[in-house]
Amino acid sequence: MITQLANLGARSIFFIEEVGRVAYFGGQILVAAAKRPIRARRFVDEVFRLGVLSLIIICVCGLAVGAVLGLQGYNTLERFGATDSLGTVVGLSLIRELGPVLTALLTTGRAGSATTAEIGTMAATEQLDGLRMMSINPIHYVVMPKAFAMVFVMPLLSALFIVCGIAGGYLVGVFWGIDPGSYMTGLESAVTFQDDILGSFLKSLIFGILVGLISTYRGYSSEPTSAGVSAATTTTVVEASVVILIFDYFITALWGV
Amino acid sequence: MRNNTGRDIAVGLFVIASLAAIAYLALQLGGLSFGGEETMRIYANFDEIGGLKPRAPVVVAGVRVGQVDSIGLAEDYRARVAFDVESRLELPVDSSASIVTSGVLGDRYISLQLGGDDLILADGDDIEFVESAVVLERLIGQLIHNTNIDSSKE
């Protein structure tokens, strides 16, 4: 009984320490970002790898999710004879919820895991130590461009996801015989810039920060063994997914997005 | 420096496509306008607004000319609705505002019927002639009530 209690206490302390370490790591990234050189070339390379190479998965998934929403929405709305609201249903659920969240989850799996694995392997093969020997701060050279690229691409990918989703819902809706005009009109009249678009943007920005921070931290602090790197990659995907969904609830509750 | 122009072009295209998506969402769907039409604020007090909500459209002859900004309770416990319409409209002061419904269960919106006065409504003015929303349940209730009275007379 006492040992279990001690166990719980130790776990709690470890959790709080871990949160502190992640926050400290984030602070280090910010401090590094203030220093020259700004590593623009590294940043663009990372935007290519995290953003451009995620385009296909984002667009395909966006289309598929939009099409499913269109189908489900159509079947449900048909019972109430309100199929003209399909545009509103698809658009609002994509913009407010599914766009940012699914993009963040997909990016975690596609790019976050790769980031962790890459940094972890660099640590395991002593490349980070090599950089330190050349008096290059690895946080400045390796971590910072990756973290910032993640924050940068997340809202962009989310916007593309939403547009693809709206197109997917449109295709299905029109196929089932909804008037294309009423789909778009419902969409335009229901969506507002202040509440929906800005809120969606805010969400994906916060998710970008979370995924960028977690994936780089896990890679940087991974054990320098192959098992350690693989464990760190798993942890990134699990932690980031859970944190995204939890934060999603609180952002929605606090800002009413 | 490594030669990766192709990659840079891809990144550039990605950013432009994404910004286009954001612009589409913000401008087309979000209805964000920079400066745009100048609007004037008009007020009207209604006995009953039914399900009128902020951002509901304001129309003249079915053409959208503005939207509801806010709805509050006036001192005399009537609903005070503030709405914005395009400033270029010259609405006579004896114009009337009515809350109507699109479809049977559809959204409520404000329809303006123009009057014949020479004086024009300006920013911050009140519309005096109003027609409240029709609450379907009340209407049905009245109908049933009247039918009962009629049948009891016979």
Side-chain angles (χ1 to χ4, degrees):
Chain A
M1 185 66 195
I2 292 294
T3 45
Q4 279 165 341
L5 199 64
N7 231 332
L8 181 70
R11 274 166 184 267
S12 310
I13 292 170
F14 179 76
F15 174 74
I16 291 168
E17 279 179 350
E18 197 71 6
V19 172
R21 275 196 284 267
V22 173
Y24 179 69
F25 188 72
Q28 280 182 307
I29 295 176
L30 286 182
V31 169
K35 288 179 185 154
R36 293 188 167 270
I38 51 171
R39 308 280 184 211
R41 162 100 339 249
R42 297 266 310 139
F43 176 75
V44 172
D45 281 358
E46 290 304 331
V47 170
F48 179 80
R49 298 206 307 174
L50 303 182
V52 178
L53 296 182
S54 303
L55 272 180
I56 292 177
I57 185 179
I58 290 293
C59 289
V60 170
C61 291
L63 266 175
V65 168
V68 167
L69 273 179
L71 203 54
Q72 292 277 19
Y74 182 84
N75 286 333
T76 313
L77 289 171
E78 202 184 17
R79 296 184 204 173
F80 310 105
T83 46
D84 281 351
S85 315
L86 186 71
T88 315
V89 171
V90 172
L92 279 184
S93 40
L94 273 171
I95 290 170
R96 295 173 76 106
E97 199 59 56
L98 293 173
V101 171
L102 288 182
T103 306
L105 292 177
L106 287 171
T107 315
T108 301
R110 160 85 191 43
S113 57
T115 303
T116 306
E118 189 184 340
I119 299 177
T121 312
M122 287 180 87
T125 53
E126 297 174 352
Q127 293 180 54
L128 296 183
D129 293 329
L131 285 172
R132 285 197 193 93
M133 280 180 66
M134 293 188 283
S135 82
I136 294 171
N137 182 0
I139 289 187
H140 189 255
Y141 187 77
V142 177
V143 172
M144 187 213 18
K146 284 184 192 296
F148 273 87
M150 192 67 93
V151 177
F152 179 74
V153 299
M154 196 67 89
L156 302 183
L157 290 176
S158 170
L160 286 172
F161 186 96
I162 292 168
V163 170
C164 288
I166 288 172
Y170 179 89
L171 290 177
V172 171
V174 171
F175 176 77
W176 281 89
I178 289 179
D179 179 44
S182 72
Y183 181 88
M184 292 315 292
T185 322
L187 202 54
E188 284 167 24
S189 62
V191 177
T192 60
F193 180 74
Q194 196 84 37
D195 293 341
D196 303 321
I197 306 286
L198 270 189
S200 169
F201 196 73
L202 176 84
K203 260 190 187 175
S204 54
L205 203 63
I206 292 177
F207 293 159
I209 295 171
L210 290 172
V211 176
L213 198 55
I214 290 174
S215 62
T216 50
Y217 172 75
R218 282 295 159 207
Y220 197 77
S221 66
S222 70
E223 269 185 57
T225 59
S226 34
V229 174
S230 100
T233 310
T234 310
T235 316
T236 292
V237 175
V238 173
E239 274 186 1
S241 308
V242 172
V243 167
I244 285 165
L245 293 173
I246 292 175
F247 266 68
D248 182 44
Y249 176 84
F250 285 106
I251 299 169
T252 308
L254 286 178
W255 279 287
V257 180
Chain B
M1 188 169 278
R2 283 164 297 162
N3 182 17
N4 39 18
T5 321
R7 171 170 292 196
D8 289 355
I9 291 171
V11 171
L13 283 176
F14 163 64
V15 171
I16 287 173
S18 311
L19 290 181
I22 292 176
Y24 170 73
L25 290 175
L27 300 176
Q28 187 71 29
L29 300 188
L32 179 72
S33 55
F34 298 101
E37 294 270 2
E38 275 190 33
T39 58
M40 59 179 173
R41 175 64 53 86
I42 307 282
Y43 297 93
N45 291 357
F46 293 94
D47 290 327
E48 168 68 56
I49 57 165
L52 190 74
K53 293 190 187 72
R55 292 200 299 270
V58 177
V59 304
V60 172
V63 179
R64 188 187 171 118
V65 294
Q67 62 176 8
V68 174
D69 181 74
S70 61
I71 298 167
L73 206 54
E75 286 152 11
D76 57 352
Y77 295 105
R78 299 172 79 200
R80 186 166 176 79
V81 178
F83 52 93
D84 297 318
V85 297
E86 295 166 17
S87 308
R88 63 182 173 82
L89 294 180
E90 295 184 346
L91 303 169
V93 288
D94 60 344
S95 299
S96 68
S98 45
I99 297 179
V100 281
T101 313
S102 61
V104 181
L105 298 166
D107 292 332
R108 304 276 184 172
Y109 62 96
I110 292 183
S111 171
L112 299 176
Q113 286 86 35
L114 302 196
D117 207 296
D118 290 338
L119 290 170
I120 303 295
L121 281 171
D123 190 40
D125 282 357
D126 272 40
I127 286 187
E128 282 174 35
F129 300 101
V130 294
E131 187 188 331
S132 292
V134 174
V135 180
L136 210 59
E137 290 86 340
R138 212 170 281 171
L139 210 65
I140 295 169
Q142 231 158 35
L143 195 71
I144 294 170
H145 185 69
N146 288 344
T147 336
N148 283 347
I149 291 173
D150 287 347
S151 53
S152 62
K153 272 180 191 167
E154 283 164 6

